[in-house]
Amino acid sequence: MVADLPVPTGIQPVRTGRRQRSGQERLAYTILVPALGTVFIIVTIPFVIAIWQSVTTDDGTFIGLRNYSRALGNPLFFDALRATGLYALIVLPTEILLGLGFALFVHRAVKRAGLRATLYVAAVLPLVVPPVAVGVVARLIYAPGYGVLNYVLQTVGITHSEIQWLGVSALAMGAVASVDIWQWTPFVYLVLFAGLQTVPKESIEAAQVDGATWWTQFRYIELHYLRPLFLLILFFRMADVLRVFDHVYILTGGGPGTATQLLSLYIYRIEFRFFDGGQAAALAVMVLVSISILYSLVTRALPLERA
Amino acid sequence: MQRISRREFVKRTAVTGAAFTSLPAFLAACGTSTTTSNKPSKLVVAAVQGNEDGPLKKVVGNYKSQTGIEVQVVEFPYADLFTKLVTTFQANDSSYDLCMMDDPWMPKFGTMGALQPLDSNFGFTRDSDIPTVVYDVGTWPPPHGPVPPSEQGKTQHLYGITIVGNVEMFMYRSDKSSAPTTWDDVYANAAKYNAPNFYGYVIRGKATNPVSSDSLPILWSFGGNIFDDNWKVQLDSDASITAVDFLTRKLKKYAEPGAESFDAAERSQAMATGKAYQSTVWPGEITGIVEDPSVSQVKGKVAYIPIPQGPSGKGLGMMGNWLLGIPKGSKNGQAAADFIKWMLKTDNMRNYVAQGGIPIRNSILNDASLAAANPYFKALAASFAAVPNWRPRTDQWGAVETSYGTAMNAAVAGQLTPQAAMQKAAGEIRTVMKAANYPS
Amino acid sequence: MAPTPALPRKGGGRTLAIGIRLILIAAGLGVAAFLYAFPLYWLIATSLKGKPELYQSITLVPRHPTLQPYYSVLFDRGFWVLLKNSVMVCAATVLVTLAVGLVITYPITRLSVSPRLRVGVLNWALSLRFLPPVAVVVPYFAIVRTLQIYNQPIALIGIYSLFNLPFAIWMLKGFLAEIPIELEEAALVDGANRWTSFRRVLLPLAAPGLMAAATIVFTFAWSEFLFALILTATPNSQTFPVGVQGLVTQFEIIWNDMAASGVIAMSVPLVLMVIARNYIVAGLTFGVIREK
């Protein structure tokens, strides 16, 4: 939490506290208003333009909400929402459970500081690999013909023919989800592991003396400290999952059919394959508004910093 | 005394202001400066990545040594190139002096008015050595076939000239059998020669453009079509569904596993490594893979013929020419036109062929001395002479191909029956055409 | 619920317990290590295969390892220009983002500003992180067209700075807040004005934080793909991720080049992150979750 900044006491010859504050405030606003104002305008202009694009045709005639009704009347839109929801349902619990499991594992089992530090660095690395590069890696694993996964499975003898990881809807969804899980489980691990470090050792030792199992220990002590972190992780990962584009575009392009056409790929297709600017703008506006509402609702419930 | 002095404030604002205004100028200066002088030092071509632009990249060096103008080839994968061209045209940007266009994209660019007319601006005329259909495919509005309603009043102009004479053909292992004449022959041969690790037929089934290109000749040969002459959707007609059933159920039995992910390179690779018996093929794949001695095990064992006949009695090949056009935004139109003319000169085209290029001159295609090195020339000349079909000339082709290609892909993958797939595609296409004010 | 008895603490039971524990640790770490290391190994291995090898059957180890794909990517395809563009765009983004970030963060943390304003700015900054880029690209493309900065690096620098500004604000706020205000006040007492105290006192102390923020902003900007894909047309302004995506094609058999480009794209952030590793979690959560 940010501590309140102390109000400077009078250092110069006689000023009342009030006049000093307004002097500082004036300076603050002089600097802040132009910069913040410019940024605010730059951020709001696209939103305004999107609204304008969504209610006019390409040559500027006003057509009201027709683009919105077309966007909502397109069944592919709901397919995209469903696909995104399914993706989130697969990815989020898996990442959290795996990350938690690994955090607990390392916390309990690995005591050597050197090893822990190495694991820390190793966990950081997948987080910063550019999503296009991760998409390339995934292609090299799942693609038909040159994908190494089929090769390994066949060599080891688990399967005897090529599995079409990218050609069967369920498998393709699994493939793109697996990429997300691969890249972001370390994030969950890092956060929860740090959280576990804050659990007071005395409580743990007391519990162990009482003979608690690892499960009891977790449920009654550690979980208490991790709970706020879970919410935050969910918050940030959910936001990322709704925005995901790069690696899905590279790995499946939305296919097979529209099985992995998540929301962002759907909007991309409407704007840059069908060139339906009005409908794309309507979708963009709807997405922006929904996210703003979601954001303001969620931040009320979360332990974010408050000054 | 936290008060800032007035002088200090002014100084700080001036510095900040100067920084913010000069930064963009500085950075913009880091970009290209397009010259408007008569002779540019560089021309930029937006090209499609793959076998089609390989020969182009190889011959631009000759242009530089002859004229001193460097031709920079900027490549994009197929779908991205279309998106890139449309967005560049929408921005009226001058980044590209020339663009490679697949012929089905002509209608969109023609409707957008995005290209400079080659005939009226740069004096291109029809050369008798070049098949008429090549000029027709580069003309907007189209000289025959249905014309989109919004384009019906416009004067016809030539906007693009073919530099890759792609017409879709058929290939088969001639060391194993004689040429199939009908699609029934194809089916019979597929059944006969299918074996483990030797596919009777290879389907190029990847979604949108790949499967669309692969299946349209079959669709047409069976009497089916996407639109009739009045832009009414025909995909759910009996003939169309029969054609789709033939490809996705019958031929699929003898096709490679994972056909729904196969694109042209995989298909040619299967042929080149001796794993396939027959398939449709584009000339670019022939020169690039199947007849490339460094990677092909079947050189000399494959023969090329026009598309086999269907129940309608005709084998309808499909145009897939890649044209070169000049965007309106280009500041070097004359130099660009000169480059196109240079590419079309017979000598240069022969050199282009030697680098693996696909020619369009009849004199070259019928030149006996080149036949041995280019076994597909005879079939290509015959395909041009038969006047191949072209894809529907609509500016909505992007949406149409996406709907049709996605549905076909689902049919190839077995997710939808041929009937369900075609009905789905037909419904989506009708919606798109109606929103674009086509008759329905 | 009866607690399970603790493990015996003496004799052979203890050795067995340690043995089992070690095996479990090794197995657990081993599986995780394999799942993460093998894909990267495969990427590098594929990037070392020559073209003819791609037409033969798959092997886990390249038959004739060669650096030809890297040469092909950087020089034949000319991607070194894209690399240069990426570096330039990312560096410029860092400069703009940190400069604007400081201008916004300084008043909030060092000067007394109403708490509501401070919270408002911080919350608004955080909300920008949740914008789906594809929703923003639709109107932003219209802006780029109007300003005629299509295919110019500045369009990318602008949008990257915008998207990274919220992160910079949060991160800088955290660092600046840690520096005691007394130090600046001491300088002010000594007769320096705000600007000098900022430059001489605050900046040097905030330098580690600035470096960390700079590294992370550079990394985020480096990975950006969608805007680069849409707003660029030629190697004049294309960045490296665009080039990588361009090689993911099934029209040509060029997986080795594709893998090589992936390795190059990955190497820059990986190196940077080893340097700035302590800040990445804070970076990804805008300082909401900060480890020390």
Side-chain angles (χ1 to χ4, degrees), chain C residues 143-200:
Chain C
I143 296 177
V144 163
R145 272 159 64 180
T146 317
L147 293 180
Q148 299 202 308
I149 49 175
Y150 182 77
N151 200 32
Q152 301 293 338
I154 184 143
L156 292 180
I157 296 172
I159 193 69
Y160 291 177
S161 304
L162 198 60
F163 267 90
N164 282 304
L165 191 60
F167 159 73
I169 292 178
W170 272 87
M171 192 147 188
L172 290 174
K173 180 213 79 169
F175 281 112
L176 288 187
E178 277 167 16
I179 299 174
I181 197 160
E182 287 81 15
L183 292 174
E184 256 184 296
E185 305 210 329
L188 289 167
V189 167
D190 285 347
N193 61 17
R194 276 239 172 242
W195 175 245
T196 318
S197 92
F198 174 76
R199 206 160 47 93
R200 291 268 174 82

Side-chain angles (χ1 to χ4, degrees), chain B residues 34-113:
Chain B
T34 47
T35 98
T36 47
S37 62
N38 280 339
K39 191 160 183 270
S41 60
K42 190 166 95 156
L43 291 174
V44 180
V45 183
V48 68
Q49 180 195 67
N51 295 314
E52 286 79 7
D53 78 331
L56 175 67
K57 288 193 290 188
K58 288 186 190 148
V59 299
V60 293
N62 294 348
Y63 193 66
K64 179 156 188 208
S65 37
Q66 286 181 19
T67 62
I69 300 180
E70 185 198 334
V71 179
Q72 181 188 27
V73 179
V74 181
E75 301 182 299
F76 298 94
Y78 184 85
D80 292 323
L81 178 62
F82 183 56
T83 302
K84 189 55 58 184
L85 288 177
V86 175
T87 50
T88 306
F89 295 157
Q90 284 175 342
N92 205 28
D93 187 72
S94 58
S95 298
Y96 302 134
D97 298 304
L98 291 150
C99 55
M100 260 178 94
M101 316 176 271
D102 201 6
D103 73 79
W105 301 349
M106 268 299 297
K108 174 116 185 130
F109 299 155
T111 313
M112 280 172 81

Side-chain angles (χ1 to χ4, degrees), chain A residues 225-304:
Chain A
Y225 287 88
L226 294 181
R227 186 163 294 147
L229 291 177
F230 277 123
L231 289 175
L232 287 171
I233 291 173
L234 204 57
F235 182 48
F236 281 99
R237 289 305 307 139
M238 175 83 77
D240 283 345
V241 159
L242 292 176
R243 305 188 320 160
V244 76
F245 178 81
D246 300 4
H247 77 261
V248 183
Y249 183 73
I250 295 233
L251 187 56
T252 63
T258 53
T260 58
Q261 191 162 268
L262 307 182
L263 186 60
S264 26
L265 280 109
Y266 175 69
I267 299 180
Y268 179 85
R269 178 183 261 206
I270 297 284
E271 169 77 1
F272 294 110
R273 295 267 191 264
F274 289 11
F275 298 104
D276 190 342
Q279 198 185 150
L283 289 168
V285 169
M286 289 194 288
V287 164
L288 291 174
V289 168
S290 315
I291 297 223
S292 307
I293 295 178
L294 205 64
Y295 174 79
S296 51
L297 287 177
V298 168
T299 48
R300 281 173 218 283
L302 284 187
L304 295 175

Side-chain angles (χ1 to χ4, degrees), chain C residues 15-245:
Chain C
T15 321
L16 182 64
I18 293 180
I20 292 178
R21 181 204 186 93
L22 278 176
I23 292 177
L24 281 179
I25 295 178
L29 291 180
V31 167
F34 178 76
L35 286 177
Y36 279 91
F38 181 71
L40 294 178
Y41 163 75
W42 180 242
L43 178 73
I44 298 176
T46 310
S47 73
L48 295 173
K49 293 187 179 175
K51 181 170 162 189
E53 210 182 315
L54 299 179
Y55 285 81
Q56 300 159 4
S57 57
I58 298 181
T59 52
L60 282 179
V61 180
R63 289 192 181 90
H64 305 286
T66 162
L67 286 178
Q68 165 62 18
Y70 289 92
Y71 189 82
S72 162
V73 165
L74 286 175
F75 300 109
D76 293 338
R77 297 182 189 277
F79 278 20
W80 68 270
V81 176
L82 305 190
L83 211 51
K84 181 181 66 120
N85 285 343
S86 272
V87 170
M88 189 192 79
V89 166
C90 293
T93 303
V94 165
L95 286 177
V96 173
T97 309
L98 288 187
V100 178
L102 277 174
V103 169
I104 292 180
T105 325
Y106 182 81
I108 299 178
T109 55
R110 313 312 280 174
L111 307 173
S112 69
V113 166
S114 84
R116 271 190 62 204
L117 178 64
R118 186 185 304 140
V119 170
V121 169
L122 296 176
N123 265 342
W124 168 77
L126 182 61
S127 73
L128 291 182
R129 188 197 184 292
F130 298 92
L131 290 182
V134 74
V136 176
V137 82
V138 172
Y140 195 70
F141 178 60
I143 296 177
V144 163
R145 272 159 64 180
T146 317
L147 293 180
Q148 299 202 308
I149 49 175
Y150 182 77
N151 200 32
Q152 301 293 338
I154 184 143
L156 292 180
I157 296 172
I159 193 69
Y160 291 177
S161 304
L162 198 60
F163 267 90
N164 282 304
L165 191 60
F167 159 73
I169 292 178
W170 272 87
M171 192 147 188
L172 290 174
K173 180 213 79 169
F175 281 112
L176 288 187
E178 277 167 16
I179 299 174
I181 197 160
E182 287 81 15
L183 292 174
E184 256 184 296
E185 305 210 329
L188 289 167
V189 167
D190 285 347
N193 61 17
R194 276 239 172 242
W195 175 245
T196 318
S197 92
F198 174 76
R199 206 160 47 93
R200 291 268 174 82
V201 175
L202 194 63
L203 272 189
L205 287 173
L210 287 178
M211 286 308 301
T215 314
I216 297 189
V217 168
F218 192 95
T219 307
F220 287 167
W222 180 269
S223 309
E224 203 287 325
F225 169 65
L226 179 63
F227 285 97
L229 179 69
I230 299 297
L231 300 177
T232 63
T234 65
N236 176 48
S237 63
Q238 283 170 336
T239 57
F240 202 75
V242 176
V244 172
Q245 185 261 344

Side-chain angles (χ1 to χ4, degrees), chain A residues 9 22 31 48 53 116 140 150 155 195 232 258 287:
Chain A
T9 52
S22 69
I31 303 176
V48 169
Q53 279 180 325
R116 280 189 172 190
L140 290 173
N150 278 329
T155 314
L232 287 171
T258 53
V287 164

